[in-house]
Amino acid sequence: MLPDSSYLLERTEIKLPLIAFYDAPETKLFEPTIKPNKQGHACMYSFYKKWLKGETVILTRDNFGCGGAANHLFNQPMRSHEEFVSFLADDEGLKANHELMDEWVNASQSYKPEHDIFYTVL
C-alpha cells in the first residue's frame, strides 16, 4: 500500500503531485517502471512527464541517472568536491556562490541505502 499524501497536499494547498523516493527491495508494487539511460546524464526532473503518466523510475548504484543522485543516494561521487560545488552553484544555481554551496555540501550527509534499488514516483 502506497502512502496517502492527500491530507498534506490539502493543508498546504500544493496543487502539483509530490515526488517520493522509496528505498525498497522489489519492483512489483511500483510497476510500470523505467530506467535512466546509462549512456547519458538524466536529471530526476527530466522524468516528470513520465511520473505524471504513472511510471516509476528505478535507480541503482550502476544506473543512477545523474551525478547528484549518485553522490547523495549511493555515496558515489562522480566529480571532485570542487567540481561538484562549482556545478551546483554555477550550473544548477542552488546557492548564490561557491562558499555557501561548499558549506551546504559539507553539512549534508549522503543517504545510507537499505536496499540496492530506489524508486521515484509521484
Side-chain angles (χ1 to χ4, degrees):
M1 181 173 144
L2 295 177
D4 181 2
S5 61
S6 59
Y7 178 76
L8 173 66
L9 294 172
E10 180 183 320
R11 295 289 302 194
T12 58
E13 298 183 9
I14 294 173
K15 303 299 180 210
L16 296 172
L18 299 177
I19 299 169
F21 283 77
Y22 292 90
D23 182 353
E26 62 172 273
T27 63
K28 189 173 183 176
L29 293 175
F30 298 94
E31 293 177 353
T33 60
I34 55 174
K35 296 178 183 176
N37 179 350
K38 278 187 165 185
Q39 309 311 328
H41 301 285
C43 173
M44 286 298 90
Y45 296 101
S46 69
F47 297 103
Y48 187 75
K49 289 181 181 176
K50 294 188 182 280
W51 289 329
L52 291 175
K53 292 193 283 185
E55 297 179 47
T56 300
V57 180
I58 297 176
L59 305 175
T60 65
R61 184 172 303 285
D62 296 326
N63 195 4
F64 40 78
C66 70
N71 188 63
H72 187 70
L73 297 177
F74 299 106
N75 197 23
Q76 290 187 168
M78 304 306 292
R79 310 168 187 232
S80 71
H81 179 80
E82 294 77 20
E83 290 171 328
F84 191 52
V85 166
S86 178
F87 170 74
L88 293 175
D90 299 339
D91 296 348
E92 298 283 308
L94 297 180
K95 297 291 179 190
N97 58 52
H98 288 206
E99 183 179 344
L100 290 172
M101 194 75 251
D102 185 55
E103 287 177 23
W104 184 85
V105 169
N106 288 333
S108 66
Q109 296 180 14
S110 291
Y111 181 78
K112 293 176 179 45
E114 292 181 33
H115 305 97
D116 293 331
I117 301 172
F118 276 84
Y119 305 93
T120 63
V121 296
L122 281 175

